[in-house]
Amino acid sequence: MPDTDLHTGPGGGLIPAPLSIDGPYRCAVRLGERTALAAAPGTEDTAHWLRATLGAAFGLPLPPGSAEATDTLALALDPALPAEGYRLEAASRWGVRIAGGGPAGVFWGAQTLRQLLGPHAFRRAPLAPGRAVVLPQLTIEDGPRFAWRGMLLDVARHFLPKDGVLRCLDLLAAHKLNVLHLHLTDDQGWRIEIARYPKLTEIGGWRERTKRGHRASPLWDERPHGGYYTHDDIREIVAYAAQRHITVVPEIDIPGHSQAAIAAYPELGNTDVIDTTSLKVWDTWGVNPNVLAPTDNTLRFYEHVLEEVLDLFPSPFVHVGGDECPKEQWQASATAQARIAELSLADENELQSWFIRHFDRWLADRGRRLIGWDEILEGGLAEGAAVSSWRGYAGGIAAAKSGHDVVMCPEQQVYLDHRQHAAPDEPVPIGYVRTLEDVYRFEPVPPELTAEQATHVLGTQANAWTEVMDDQQRLDYQVFPRLAAFAEVAWSRLPAPAERDYQDFTRRMAAHYARLDALGVAYRPPGGPRPWQKRPGVLGRPIDGAPPNV
């Protein structure tokens, strides 16, 4: 009897939920050893992915074939569909056809096919070699709500080796997310090789020890921590992402969150205020007072850094941070005050705006766009810049009303480092309680925006800051299953938050947990953490009450 490990019913057990499903019907569609794979021009990446995943999972050779033949998995482009939209048709008389408006649409259709084939499709080798796999006869029409469906991965606070990043890309693709925002630099580490400035990784790439838990915790991990990605590592990550139709957006943080860079090159700091040669890579968490000096030398240094970044990342956007930049050193610095006077700036906020505007122009001259955290609104928003609205909705609302593009990622709603439950056994509890249901009811477009202003909301992003996520298992626990709910918010055209059918979502999640199990994801179970997922005695910083809607 063929493996029929399927989860059909309303919605087909699919996450994110598709626009429409016609079926499933009783007729079975079988994929077996004789099933051919017909890939029209423009669908080659998806064909390669199907052979590497479904072929491996079920032991199917999927040899090349003709789209007109029976027992065929056929891939094609259909310009009548939206670029990321797709149509999947499974019929017993000929097999499976996936058409996409563009190559990405075909790929997302293939992801849906994988889900339809059950959790075995998410394994790397067949559990029952030689047995056919079946799916029901149906037709699915689908396409995303937002163009930017992202997750931030912070590899600066705790380094994630390259294989972990590639695994993360596979998990994003499985949820139809298409942006990986890679936070590469911070006070606690510099994670990308810059050939012109080798000390950035030789010195800035590791710290002597690490605070365990919240910064108020008395505990320390006394092991040195570090790591970085070489140019070839980055090229591999970017190429792997591109095969999965994911854009990797690099973040090089300026002018705050820069102590690792200053530790490597002390001249970058405010040398007339502190002894920057005494600074080391920061070993604790919080907002750091050691920021970049607003000098021509600093500008040239980061231009050289960004030249190498642009060579490695084809992303149209480059994230420059711009958040949490304390102004006390600039207030005390004669050099900074002279720059303010020279430029006829009103204050230190305008000095930060000048800093960001410089790189906005520099990137624009090279055909790229600057994006930064919503602090870049202070002192005047750089022309052409886009905003990551993290402190709440307010920054995104202000930017969209001014005609600037926005990615909505308010910390009160979609910061995945925030705790998932109020129970005392939640590991290293940080921030507000954000349950799976809370994330499912997140709405990226605030009602204050008109229809025209809402077009500036490029999409949405969930952020995984890793101060208290010191390994892959901890990262898995914080991110999943909430990323599945976020993916549905970003992809599907859901009703208003209060009207969303969370019961249906949890029913579909019952199927999805089996897929995550097959992928080896150490998610938080619905009933709470497993014994080995707890971190007893490690201090967090829980915040009581409902998060503000700001």
Side-chain angles (χ1 to χ4, degrees):
M1 180 71 182
D3 183 354
T4 57
D5 190 3
L6 299 175
H7 305 278
T8 56
L14 298 175
I15 289 178
L19 273 173
S20 69
I21 300 179
D22 180 14
Y25 299 103
R26 289 183 179 273
C27 300
V29 182
R30 285 177 168 77
L31 303 179
E33 290 186 349
R34 296 181 181 179
T35 301
L37 176 56
T43 69
E44 293 87 356
D45 280 350
T46 299
H48 174 79
W49 180 86
L50 283 166
R51 289 192 175 99
T53 53
L54 297 189
F58 296 112
L60 302 179
L62 296 175
S66 168
E68 286 73 37
T70 59
D71 196 9
T72 300
L73 172 52
L75 310 178
L77 300 180
D78 182 350
L81 295 170
E84 288 193 275
Y86 68 88
R87 180 177 57 255
L88 185 155
E89 300 171 282
S92 56
R93 63 185 183 278
W94 38 260
V96 178
R97 294 174 180 167
I98 300 173
V106 177
F107 183 70
W108 304 132
Q111 293 290 345
T112 296
L113 174 63
R114 189 188 195 189
Q115 289 197 17
L116 289 168
L117 295 175
H120 291 184
F122 292 81
R123 297 191 178 274
R124 297 186 183 183
L127 303 186
R131 295 172 69 182
V133 59
V134 306
L135 69 157
Q137 184 164 301
L138 48 66
T139 299
I140 295 175
E141 298 263 1
D142 200 9
R145 179 185 179 191
F146 291 110
W148 184 302
R149 308 180 301 280
M151 189 187 93
L152 176 142
L153 178 61
D154 171 17
V155 296
R157 273 52 176 272
H158 278 101
F159 179 66
L160 187 66
K162 180 197 69 181
D163 284 354
V165 178
L166 300 180
R167 174 180 181 266
C168 178
L169 288 165
D170 279 331
L171 292 171
L172 294 186
H175 293 84
K176 298 186 175 74
L177 298 171
N178 68 344
V179 175
L180 175 64
H181 175 169
L182 204 54
H183 182 74
L184 289 163
T185 72
D186 216 297
D187 300 303
Q188 296 87 1
W190 185 284
R191 305 294 178 217
I192 178 172
E193 175 190 16
I194 301 298
R196 186 163 184 159
Y197 299 117
K199 291 181 183 177
L200 285 172
T201 47
E202 291 171 3
I203 295 174
W206 67 278
R207 57 181 179 264
E208 294 179 353
R209 63 176 186 169
T210 299
K211 175 66 71 173
R212 288 195 67 208
H214 184 256
R215 59 182 175 271
S217 166
L219 303 177
W220 293 90
D221 183 340
E222 297 292 346
R223 297 173 297 174
H225 179 85
Y228 66 92
Y229 310 110
T230 66
H231 281 192
D232 281 347
D233 290 338
I234 294 293
R235 291 186 182 102
E236 181 183 357
I237 289 168
V238 168
Y240 195 84
Q243 290 173 344
R244 288 148 182 79
H245 301 277
I246 295 172
T247 299
V248 184
V249 176
E251 180 179 354
I252 305 295
D253 224 328
I254 56 175
H257 288 289
S258 297
Q259 183 162 317
I262 297 169
Y265 292 92
E267 66 272 19
L268 296 173
N270 293 284
T271 57
D272 58 348
V273 176
I274 62 163
D275 177 12
T276 56
T277 63
S278 68
L279 294 178
K280 297 181 178 181
V281 177
W282 214 24
D283 56 12
T284 189
W285 321 120
V287 179
N288 189 300
N290 297 303
V291 303
L292 297 175
T295 63
D296 289 343
N297 175 67
T298 300
L299 297 180
R300 298 293 89 74
F301 183 97
Y302 276 87
E303 286 172 359
H304 295 151
V305 167
L306 288 171
E307 284 172 359
E308 294 190 30
V309 169
L310 296 191
D311 185 55
L312 295 168
F313 293 92
S315 165
F317 286 95
V318 175
H319 208 291
V320 298
D323 64 317
E324 296 181 328
C325 179
K327 308 300 190 297
E328 288 79 9
Q329 288 188 359
W330 287 351
Q331 290 167 352
S333 166
T335 301
Q337 293 303 310
R339 179 68 86 179
I340 289 173
E342 171 198 342
L343 299 169
S344 300
L345 303 176
D347 55 20
E348 290 76 22
N349 282 337
E350 287 198 3
L351 182 61
Q352 178 170 344
S353 178
W354 164 81
F355 210 113
I356 298 298
R357 284 174 181 270
H358 173 86
F359 287 101
D360 178 61
R361 291 190 298 270
W362 189 91
L363 288 167
D365 287 345
R366 288 153 183 81
R368 307 295 183 96
R369 290 186 65 187
L370 179 146
I371 185 168
W373 303 110
D374 54 55
E375 283 94 333
I376 68 174
L377 290 161
E378 298 167 3
L381 185 60
E383 184 179 354
V387 170
S388 299
S389 189
W390 77 274
R391 291 181 294 179
Y393 287 103
I397 292 169
K401 286 184 174 181
S402 300
H404 290 270
D405 290 338
V406 177
V407 175
M408 284 293 188
C409 49
E411 67 166 325
Q412 301 86 352
Q413 279 75 35
V414 288
Y415 266 35
L416 300 182
D417 45 312
H418 282 214
R419 58 193 174 132
Q420 302 180 67
H421 199 278
D425 59 356
E426 204 65 27
V428 200
I430 299 294
Y432 296 102
V433 172
R434 292 286 82 194
T435 66
L436 183 66
E437 182 173 359
D438 291 329
V439 175
Y440 188 67
R441 298 193 188 280
F442 164 60
E443 173 49 49
V445 180
E448 292 89 337
L449 297 181
T450 66
E452 182 180 353
Q453 292 164 349
T455 63
H456 288 289
V457 179
L458 299 176
T460 184
Q461 181 172 288
N463 294 344
W465 300 102
T466 62
E467 287 94 334
V468 299
M469 299 182 223
D470 53 3
D471 59 28
Q472 184 171 280
Q473 282 192 328
R474 277 288 291 128
L475 183 64
D476 277 4
Y477 181 91
Q478 291 299 129
V479 170
F480 291 98
R482 291 184 295 182
L483 193 71
F486 174 80
E488 184 146 312
V489 168
W491 177 277
S492 306
R493 287 165 174 79
L494 299 176
E499 299 168 8
R500 293 176 188 173
D501 190 347
Y502 183 67
Q503 296 268 334
D504 174 67
F505 176 74
T506 57
R507 183 194 58 73
R508 288 181 285 117
M509 277 302 299
H512 201 63
Y513 285 122
R515 298 174 191 131
L516 296 178
D517 287 333
L519 287 166
V521 176
Y523 58 85
R524 182 190 188 276
R530 296 182 172 95
W532 58 88
Q533 293 174 320
K534 303 174 184 179
R535 296 291 186 275
V538 181
L539 185 68
R541 183 176 175 263
I543 304 174
D544 293 329
N549 188 10
V550 294

